Amino acid sequence: MALLENLVLVFVAGLITALATGLGALPFFIIDDISDRWNVVLWGVASGIMVSASVFGLIFEGAAAGTLPAVGIGMLAGVVLVVVAHEVIEDYEPDPGAYAEADFKKLLLILGILTVHSFPEGVAVGVSFAELNLPGLQDGISFLGFGVPVVAVFITVAIAIHNVPEGVAISIPLRAMNVSEPKMVWWAVFSSLPQPIGAVIAFAFVRYAREFLPYGYGFAAGAMIFLVATEFIPEALELGEHVDGGGRLELVSGVALGFAVMVPLAFI
């Protein structure tokens, strides 16, 4: 099978995982107005989703692919990314239109970090296809004339499933900024577009991708966790000022729900 056809198949697999992120925005087509109390819960859910995905997905996978120090170095780089991005966006003079300037900057930061973090997941998809159409493939299935490794099917499906709650996490701040539902779907998918790109690059240079994969996973995890700590939680607590008890019960409940959604998926 020609290299180009293999690359196309890997790109389509990565694109499927990206499109799955858009599914997370669909519930907001039937939800109109959200009270401060429920906004606090949803910010908590988003936080729980992202932290649990980082710890039980990215960090665990990074440690399995390499060493914990490598993951730690990647996490530190991810934190630096958020700090630098924050400084760049703070210095940026936006033309927000219908959005308040502060909300527009928050939107840029959240979408930017989530877009960057999706690249290592695409790399994981590409790496899982490493034995695509290789002679003597043991654990594989036949699909449209391709010999596809079973692990590639598993990783593609698993990341697609993980991307659905990430789409919810992305849609929550967009809903708070009164972004339309179709645009929420678009931005959710947009945040995962690096996945098919990362998949193709990793497949083409799979020997090198395996070596750098733990750093990539750590990078994504560090960026996501720091984003939750510096943006999601403070936003929830700010909204909670108008809720009985400061919204802390709602926030904790939301975080717990986010973990309950993501932790089982991490062990699929």
Side-chain angles (χ1 to χ4, degrees), residues 53-65:
S54 297
V55 174
F56 298 106
L58 296 171
I59 293 177
F60 277 26
E61 288 294 329

Side-chain angles (χ1 to χ4, degrees), residues 34-262:
I34 302 178
S35 66
D36 285 341
R37 182 181 301 276
W38 280 106
N39 262 318
V40 173
V41 173
L42 290 174
W43 277 106
V45 171
S47 300
I49 287 172
M50 294 177 68
V51 172
S52 57
S54 297
V55 174
F56 298 106
L58 296 171
I59 293 177
F60 277 26
E61 288 294 329
T67 64
L68 280 176
V71 175
I73 292 171
M75 291 182 68
L76 181 60
V79 171
V80 171
L81 168 73
V82 178
V83 173
V84 172
H86 211 306
E87 291 299 318
V88 170
I89 292 173
E90 282 298 317
D91 293 336
Y92 174 63
E93 295 298 331
D95 181 16
Y99 310 120
E101 181 174 328
D103 284 345
F104 190 76
K105 288 181 177 180
K106 190 183 298 293
L107 172 62
L108 288 178
L109 182 63
I110 291 169
L111 285 174
I113 299 304
L114 290 175
T115 299
V116 171
H117 111 269
S118 71
F119 185 81
E121 294 180 356
V123 170
V125 172
V127 169
S128 70
F129 276 89
E131 297 185 74
L132 177 65
N133 281 326
L134 285 183
L137 176 64
Q138 296 296 321
D139 296 322
I141 61 174
S142 179
F143 177 73
L144 297 178
F146 292 88
V148 181
V150 171
V151 66
V153 177
F154 169 78
I155 292 296
T156 301
V157 171
I159 290 180
I161 292 173
H162 280 71
N163 279 354
V164 175
E166 286 187 5
V168 176
I170 292 167
S171 299
I172 289 169
L174 294 176
R175 163 60 78 181
M177 297 173 202
N178 296 316
V179 175
S180 68
E181 289 83 359
K183 286 184 178 179
M184 282 196 291
V185 174
W186 157 247
W187 283 117
V189 173
F190 176 84
S191 72
S192 290
L193 287 183
Q195 288 181 6
I197 299 171
V200 169
I201 293 174
F203 175 72
F205 302 99
V206 67
R207 296 183 187 274
Y208 303 101
R210 287 183 185 275
E211 185 176 336
F212 290 105
L213 197 56
Y215 296 95
Y217 276 125
F219 179 86
M224 289 177 65
I225 293 172
F226 194 71
L227 179 65
V228 168
T230 58
E231 294 293 333
F232 280 39
I233 299 299
E235 179 71 18
L237 292 175
E238 183 178 337
L239 288 169
E241 293 177 357
H242 308 291
V243 178
D244 293 342
R248 290 177 178 79
L249 177 61
E250 288 78 5
L251 175 59
V252 171
S253 300
V255 171
L257 179 58
F259 268 83
V261 169
M262 282 303 295

